[in-house]
């Protein structure tokens, strides 16, 4: 048992005093502490009195021991806290905090004035969220007797995405700690010492130069307005906020989005997110409002009349689409499914095909994902990853092949860093642009990923131990040429729990061989849960609902196309094209009917992340013009085509029906069975068309490229060499 | 070459002793950094050349030894076997020394030290009053060996303690001996060393690391430097014994980069020890594996604090972290780590060799053994002093230090550098040990003793130490980073004549906040100079504030210089030297200083011929009439 302020509580080992006190519901002021970061002990505000411990130790750093008697408040403690806060305020613009008119001013002066230099709360963009203000109130500070100092650091506004005003920085160190300890990047650190101590990059270089990934983790943890998101800092208070799931990639980060008057305003990482655990990346954190609010959104349904796309009411557009599709045999119709579509939309599409247009082929508009789902189905018995994202954190060796974690799935870096800190080794196969350098232990930059893996397999071959398929497997390896580094790779993974992340860039060269060889490597290291193809937002969900999605690179061409992304592969001889998208694109030149759908902040429904986690997407904004929710478009189109049972009143009806009748049972992590131990022969040559690098690097969201719409992202990618 | 057993070590010792010719003349020169700065290298070269010239270089040995400690009077030379002590030796005097003293045994009286109280010449080193009241257990061998000559060290009894430990004692017994002897950490905190070792030994995880803290950042302190430069093997031996007792296989020497000679010597000493099998695997044929790495600091005072030092060793920014966990449980890379000061390690072989009773017989009730102090400032005999704990400050300053030069009066002694406090002259009889000084509000610290006379302004001195702590603060915690800055601002205002009444109360409040709120020892002790000067010299603060007067006439804003027209001969020396061109006057006529241009540098007063002494340093309340 422990005692806090005279009350007894049970003792739990492995906690700090601060954690115990907070769990007991007792308040202690903290500034440098953060639940996701290792304790620091710098602000000295959380001091407490503990029996038999000298002085006033900080609660955040003191380990809890059984029998401890803790006092969190006393005259001495409050006095010292107040003195410490006064010292902090002597170097932080404080005029509003101790102004005699602050109550009235706060009540009636609601709009913060945009200001360059912040000299008081009423000029500060973070007035409502500032943690310094909260503690000043708790300590009832009325006046500051110390000499006031203003460092007069230059405002830093030249890097993309976020501004830095270190005149407001209270040196709590949270930003430094999150970048170093959680992300493993360390782009910023404490510089100098004494009064000149400050936070910054090495040698004052820009954040672009310093390896910053612009993930925004530092901005999220900053207690003051020292770090602020440039695009949204002056947008005033949101009038609603909700939890949703980002769909820029397949990790499925849980985000909190805020909106004002039907427009999405800002996005923050959800601290309790299961997949992302409080972290996010530059896309989810900074690009949601600028992208979805960008110009070029499709606003009205369009029908081509006399060669010109003309705005029409939705009913007319839907019937034009239905009439057009009815002219074709379903076997000549192809539906291109965007990996961004929700489960409900995909579910309705599958019903459309099964019940209304049997014979229609469906393809996923994501070549890497299509390949990965087909091959994984063959290898492990079901499409998708063979384990969840914790396989990365638990691994002893993590191999990354053909991926660029700067572009997407960046949040996985956090798990990689955690594994690395525990001693895991990170192997990078393929070009590495930046950011990963600190984490990577072994780098094999040259081409020939299949040769690399095959060479390693040859060395490990004696570990087959009569596994099923061993003979064919061994035989297939003989066709591969020798590759330097393969032996070293074998020695790195031998006997170690391995996890292999496969990215889009393997499409450049025999992707099926790469995946098969990767699986064989996992088999030979007893790591069945380690196959992690880096899938798109809802690839997993779409495949759960449509297991017969074909790899249409093999299939051939159709005559009529119903596409849900403007960059779908529609051949020139296509006779009828229905485009359902959210942004204008080149496809407008080909489309006969255009149906404006919804993007992430306007979507409602569920998606399944790459690890099989079913999560909700909740809207905060209204799509422009007369756009309609994608699922509703599909339902109404199905009705127009003569389908029955597509008359839904709410989305929830679709969701419940889907949960009841399809392979997706409900929200939460779908448990995957352990794959059978089997080896597969690896093909040294391949007939399937390979995709060039240039096709891989575009960051598509349906028919638009995020890079085209968000200037700062273009700046960042250009700097990193991702785009020209 | 490699000693594979205790027997081989002993055999080597005997052969060294046998080879020693007690009658062979040997010229020992102190090669510590102090004498080095006075030109010892050139003197040494001169000796070697002279001996060669005379063809006797094979008959007379020249030994460059560790620091003698008598730094005021270097270059220092001792001629063995007689033990004749020559001080302040210049290159021009070398031929004479060789011809007369070395070859003919004739003493050159000019080079002998004169006892200022008796005016008698002293022949032998041990009779020099500076040394007479010292007990040089740690520093004693410095003058007898070449610092990196392992055979010199063995010949003086080096590694006898290690042999005893490896041959006759269990690790727990070693810890027991250190505990019973009462050795306390010499870095300043005075924590019982045996207890620290025991906690590290009891920690269940491996590997365990040892660290020798040679960061020595206090201004004016150079005890560790002289031990590490002068007798690095003694520290090494202590660490090997510690490694055995605790169960460590790897040790680090963290030496501040500003000690290049110490770094060089310890690296070389470790190399020699390794060659002899005294470091590395199976030391002296035993089961003990232990080796050391030398790591240089990078110019941060805060890295002398043990948790900051461990961060620095790990390659991180030197910022302290709160304890618990303590280094003995979780230190470098999360492993049990035992950190001790250079002097603490050097004490260990002596304790093992001479026993608990011997050690307990030296020192005071609570503080056993000797302590090395660096005696600097306004003192006649600047140097390194080693006395039993509990020796009075009076003995150190007057009997050993020779008192204050130029007939000035002692004002205070600053003990323990920027973490310590000042002891006023009124308390000069205080016994110097851990507890004795704490009672007076000061701290023995690592052993720096800065002597101040009537010409020292105590407010200015407090300001100096606070500016030091402020610039060395790592910046992590609020009370130290911001609090010391606010304190410094106030002290600057006071010394500039802008002090107000409220300032003293604010200072006292800040001192309490910084002392009670800071994360590490740097911050917690940073207010000490201010607190002690306020306690004992409050009147000086009040004079600065209320009267705008600096009693010691130091603070530039509160003093001015005037030329006494009755004494000035018009020699123009001051006018020529004045950097601000503030002095005007015709030749052979009295000069005057333009107060608007004067920058108070004091060069005019220094330049004015002693016979005239026409320049007066006055406080701002005095007019021309104040004489």
């Amino acid at each position: 048992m422990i005692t806090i302020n005279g009350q007894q509580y049970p003792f739990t080992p492995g906690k700090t005093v601060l954690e115990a006190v907070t769990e007991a519901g007792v308040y202690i002021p903290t500034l440098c502490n953060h639940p996701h970061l290792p304790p620091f002990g710098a602000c000295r505000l959380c001091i407490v009195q503990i029996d038999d411990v000298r002085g006033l130790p900080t609660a955040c750093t003191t380990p809890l021991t059984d029998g401890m008697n803790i006092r969190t408040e006393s005259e001495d403690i409050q006095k010292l806290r107040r003195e410490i806060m006064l010292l902090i305020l002597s170097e932080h613009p404080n005029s509003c905090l101790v102004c005699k008119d602050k109550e009235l001013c706060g009540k009636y002066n609601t709009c913060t004035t945009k200001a360059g230099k912040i000299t008081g709360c009423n000029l500060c963009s973070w007035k409502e969220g500032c943690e310094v203000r909260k503690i000043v109130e708790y300590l009832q500070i009325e006046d500051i007797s110390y000499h006031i100092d203003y460092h007069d650091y230059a405002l830093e506004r030249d890097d993309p995405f976020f501004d830095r005003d270190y005149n407001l920085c209270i040196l709590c160190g949270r930003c430094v700690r999150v970048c170093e300890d959680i992300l493993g990047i360390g782009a910023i650190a404490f510089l100098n010492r004494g009064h000149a101590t400050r936070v910054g990059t090495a040698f004052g270089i820009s954040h672009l130069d310093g390896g910053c990934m612009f993930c925004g983790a530092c901005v999220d943890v900053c207690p003051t307005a020292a770090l602020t998101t440039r695009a949204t800092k002056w947008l005033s208070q949101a009038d609603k906020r909700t939890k949703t799931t980002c769909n820029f990639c397949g990790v499925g980060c849980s985000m909190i989005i805020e909106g004002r008057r039907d427009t999405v305003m800002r996005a923050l990482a959800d601290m309790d997110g299961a997949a992302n655990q409080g972290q996010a990346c530059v896309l989810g954190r900074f690009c949601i409002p600028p992208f979805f609010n960008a110009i070029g959104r499709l606003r009205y349904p369009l029908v081509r009349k006399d060669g010109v796309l003309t705005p029409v009411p939705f009913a007319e557009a839907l019937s034009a689409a239905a009439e057009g599709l009815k002219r074709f045999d379903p076997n000549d119709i192809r539906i291109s499914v965007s990996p961004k579509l929700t489960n409900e939309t995909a579910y309705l599409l599958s019903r459309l095909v099964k019940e209304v247009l049997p014979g229609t082929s469906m393809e996923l508009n994501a070549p890497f994902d299509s390949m990965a789902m087909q091959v994984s189905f063959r290898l492990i018995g079901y499409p998708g990853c063979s384990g969840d994202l914790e396989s990365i954190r638990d691994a002893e060796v993590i191999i990354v092949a053909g991926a660029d974690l700067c572009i997407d799935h960046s949040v996985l870096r956090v798990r990689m860093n955690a594994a690395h800190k525990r001693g895991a080794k990170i192997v990078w196969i393929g070009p590495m642009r930046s950011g990963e350098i600190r984490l990577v232990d072994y780098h094999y930059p040259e081409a020939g990923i299949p040769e690399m893996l095959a060479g390693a397999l040859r060395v490990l071959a004696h570990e087959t131990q009569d596994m099923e398929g061993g003979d064919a497997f061994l035989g297939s390896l003989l066709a591969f040429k020798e590759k330097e580094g393969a032996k070293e790779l074998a020695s790195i993974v031998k006997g170690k729990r391995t996890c292999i992340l496969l990215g889009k860039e393997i499409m450049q060269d025999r992707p099926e061989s790469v995946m098969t060889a990767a699986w064989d490597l996992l088999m030979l290291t007893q790591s069945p849960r380690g196959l992690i193809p880096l899938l798109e937002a809802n690839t997993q969900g779409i495949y759960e609902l449509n297991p017969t999605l074909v790899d249409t690179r093999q299939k051939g061409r159709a005559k009529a196309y119903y596409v849900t992304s403007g960059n779908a592969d529609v051949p020139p001889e296509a006779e009828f094209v229905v485009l359902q998208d959210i942004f204008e694109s080149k496809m407008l030149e080909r489309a006969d009917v255009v149906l404006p759908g919804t993007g992430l902040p306007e979507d409602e429904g569920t998606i399944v992340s790459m690890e099989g986690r079913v999560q909700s997407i909740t809207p905060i904004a209204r799509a422009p013009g007369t756009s309609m929710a994608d699922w509703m478009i599909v339902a109404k189109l199905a009705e127009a085509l003569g389908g029955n049972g597509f008359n839904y009143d709410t989305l929830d009806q679709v969701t419940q029906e889907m949960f009841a009748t399809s392979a997706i049972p409900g929200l939460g992590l779908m448990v995957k069975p352990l794959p059978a131990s089997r080896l597969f022969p690896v093909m040294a040559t391949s007939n399937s068309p390979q995709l060039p690098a240039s096709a891989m690097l575009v960051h598509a969201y349906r028919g638009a490229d995020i890079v085209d719409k968000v200037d700062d992202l273009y700046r960042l990618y250009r700097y990193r060499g991702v785009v020209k | 070459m490699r000693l594979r057993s205790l027997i081989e070590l002993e055999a080597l010792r005997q052969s060294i002793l046998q080879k020693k010719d007690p009658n062979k003349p040997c010229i020992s020169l102190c090669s510590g950094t102090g004498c080095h700065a006075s030109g010892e290298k050139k003197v040494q070269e001169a000796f070697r050349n002279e001996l060669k010239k005379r063809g006797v270089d094979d008959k007379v040995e020249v030994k460059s030894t560790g620091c003698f400690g008598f730094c005021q009077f270097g270059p220092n030379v001792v001629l063995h076997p007689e033990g004749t002590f020559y001080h302040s030796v210049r290159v021009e005097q070398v031929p004479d020394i060789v011809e007369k003293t070395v070859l003919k045994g004739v003493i050159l009286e000019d080079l002998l030290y004169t006892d200022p109280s008796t005016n008698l010449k002293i022949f032998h080193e041990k009779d020099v009053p500076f040394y007479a009241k010292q007990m040089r257990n740690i520093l004693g061998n410095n003058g007898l060996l070449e610092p990196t000559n392992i055979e010199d060290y063995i010949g003086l009894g080096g590694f006898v303690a290690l042999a005893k430990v490896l041959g006759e004692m269990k690790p727990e017994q070693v810890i027991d001996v250190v505990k019973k002897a009462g050795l306390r950490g010499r870095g300043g905190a005075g924590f019982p060393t045996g207890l620290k070792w025991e906690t590290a030994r009891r920690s269940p995880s491996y590997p365990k690391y040892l660290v020798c803290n040679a960061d020595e950042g206090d201004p004016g302190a150079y005890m560790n430097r002289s031990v590490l430069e002068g007798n690095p093997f003694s520290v090494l031996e202590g660490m090997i014994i510690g490694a055995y007792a605790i169960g460590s296989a790897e040790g680090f020497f963290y030496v501040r980069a500003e000690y290049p000679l110490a770094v060089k010597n310890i690296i070389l000493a470790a190399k020699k020890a390794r060659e002899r099998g005294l470091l590395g695997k199976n030391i002296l044929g035993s089961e003990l594996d232990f080796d050391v790495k030398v790591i240089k600091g990078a110019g941060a005072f805060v890295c002398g604090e043990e948790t900051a030092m461990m961060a620095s060793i790990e390659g991180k920014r030197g910022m302290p972290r709160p304890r618990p966990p303590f280094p003995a449980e979780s230190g470098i890379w999360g492993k049990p780590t035992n950190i001790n000061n250079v002097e603490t390690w050097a004490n260990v072989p002596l304790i093992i060799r001479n026993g608990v009773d011997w050690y307990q017989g030296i020192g005071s009730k609570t503080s056993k053994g000797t302590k090395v102090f660096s005696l600097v400032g306004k003192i006649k005999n600047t140097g390194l002093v080693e006395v039993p704990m509990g020796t009075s400050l009076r003995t150190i300053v007057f009997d050993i230090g020779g008192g204050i030069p130029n007939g000035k009066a002692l004002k205070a002694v600053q003990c323990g550098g920027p973490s310590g406090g000042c002891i006023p002259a009124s308390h000069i009889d205080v016994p110097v040990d851990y507890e004795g000084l704490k009672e007076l509000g000061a701290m023995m610290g690592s052993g720096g003793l800065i002597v101040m006379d009537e010409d020292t302004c105590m407010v200015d001195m407090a300001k100096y130490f606070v500016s030091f702590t402020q610039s060395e603060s790592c910046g992590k915690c609020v009370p130290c980073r911001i609090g010391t800055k606010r304190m410094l601002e106030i002290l600057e205002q006071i010394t500039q004549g802008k002090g107000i009444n409220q300032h003293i109360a604010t200072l006292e409040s800040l001192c309490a906040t910084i002392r009670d709120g800071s994360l590490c020892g740097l911050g917690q002790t940073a207010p000490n100079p201010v607190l002690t000067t306020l306690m004992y010299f409050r009147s000086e603060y009040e004079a600065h504030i209320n009267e705008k007067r600096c009693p010691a006439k130091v603070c530039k804003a509160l003093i001015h210089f005037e030329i006494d027209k009755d004494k000035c001969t018009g020699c123009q020396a001051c006018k020529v030297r004045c950097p601000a061109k503030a002095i005007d006057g015709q030749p052979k006529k009295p000069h005057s200083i333009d107060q608007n241009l004067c920058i108070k540098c004091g060069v005019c007063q220094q330049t004015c011929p002693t016979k005239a002494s026409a320049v007066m340093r006055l406080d701002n309340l005095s007019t021309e009439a104040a004489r």
Side-chain angles (χ1 to χ4, degrees), chain A residues 237-294:
Chain A
Q237 285 309 287
D239 50 33
K240 48 191 172 198
R241 63 202 325 247
T242 186
K243 211 179 270 208
T244 191
T245 309
C246 179
N247 68 353
F248 281 152
C249 82
V251 172
C253 295
S254 180
M255 308 288 292
I256 313 267
I257 48 173
E258 295 183 344
R260 187 180 170 88
R261 299 208 201 109
D262 297 331
T263 310
V264 64
M265 277 174 62
R266 81 173 58 94
L268 304 144
D270 176 10
M271 286 255 284
D272 301 321
N276 55 322
Q277 292 150 343
Q279 295 305 315
C281 76
V282 59
L283 297 169
R285 185 67 182 60
F286 291 121
C287 297
I288 293 178
F291 177 67
F292 291 102
N293 296 336

Side-chain angles (χ1 to χ4, degrees), chain A residues 106-175:
Chain A
K107 229 192 266 185
Y108 299 110
N109 190 3
T110 47
C111 280
T112 35
T113 319
K114 275 193 195 177
K117 266 196 186 165
I118 295 169
T119 51
C121 305
N122 272 359
L123 301 177
C124 179
S125 63
W126 191 228
K127 180 175 165 187
E128 279 73 15
C130 176
E131 294 186 39
V132 170
R133 277 175 62 90
K134 297 199 174 76
I135 298 181
V136 166
E137 262 192 57
Y138 161 73
L139 292 171
Q140 296 167 332
I141 289 177
E142 306 274 297
D143 191 26
I144 303 167
S145 53
Y146 289 126
H147 171 91
I148 306 295
D149 207 344
Y150 184 75
H151 282 269
D152 213 10
Y153 294 124
L155 303 185
E156 295 178 27
R157 297 193 278 210
D158 292 334
D159 276 304
F161 296 114
F162 64 96
D163 288 339
R164 294 177 293 279
D165 182 355
Y166 285 116
N167 296 298
L168 303 173
C169 174
I170 55 165
L171 290 166
C172 68
R174 286 185 192 171
C175 54

Side-chain angles (χ1 to χ4, degrees), chain A residues 463-600:
Chain A
E463 311 254 350
T464 55
Q465 284 174 335
D466 301 319
M467 229 181 275
E468 198 193 325
D471 295 328
F473 157 71
L474 287 170
S476 70
L477 295 178
L478 298 170
F480 285 89
K481 289 204 278 275
E482 282 288 336
K483 184 93 167 91
E484 204 182 314
K487 279 209 183 70
E488 185 184 48
L489 179 60
S491 66
I492 296 166
V493 300
K494 185 172 161 162
K496 296 275 194 298
R497 189 169 50 249
T498 307
C499 176
I500 304 185
L501 278 60
L502 297 165
K504 288 192 281 211
E505 293 179 39
I506 66 170
M507 293 303 283
Q508 293 174 71
D509 180 17
R510 293 164 287 165
E512 294 91 348
S513 308
V514 172
M515 258 192 95
T516 312
W519 176 249
D520 291 330
L521 196 76
L522 293 168
M523 285 285 95
L524 295 183
T525 56
Q526 282 85 50
S527 316
R529 290 294 188 194
L531 186 67
I532 312 277
L534 298 173
L535 301 171
E536 264 282 17
N538 195 22
T539 303
Q540 190 68 40
I542 292 167
Y543 268 79
E544 297 288 346
L545 297 162
N546 297 284
T548 56
L549 269 180
V550 297
D551 184 2
T552 48
R553 293 179 299 161
Q554 323 284 23
K555 194 141 204 258
R557 300 180 165 199
K559 293 190 184 152
Y561 282 80
Y562 171 23
V563 305
T564 52
S565 356
N567 67 341
D569 186 20
V570 174
E573 60 274 10
E575 295 169 30
F576 185 71
V577 178
V578 177
L579 171 65
Q580 179 176 330
D581 202 340
I582 63 172
F583 270 105
E584 293 166 357
S585 60
K586 276 189 94 71
M587 187 66 74
L588 284 180
E589 295 164 18
R590 319 274 319 280
D592 296 291
V593 181
V594 178
L595 306 166
T598 46
L600 174 66

Side-chain angles (χ1 to χ4, degrees), chain B residues 233-245:
Chain B
F233 287 114
S234 66
V235 185
L236 210 47
E237 188 179 354
M239 280 186 79
I240 304 171
I241 294 173
Y244 178 76

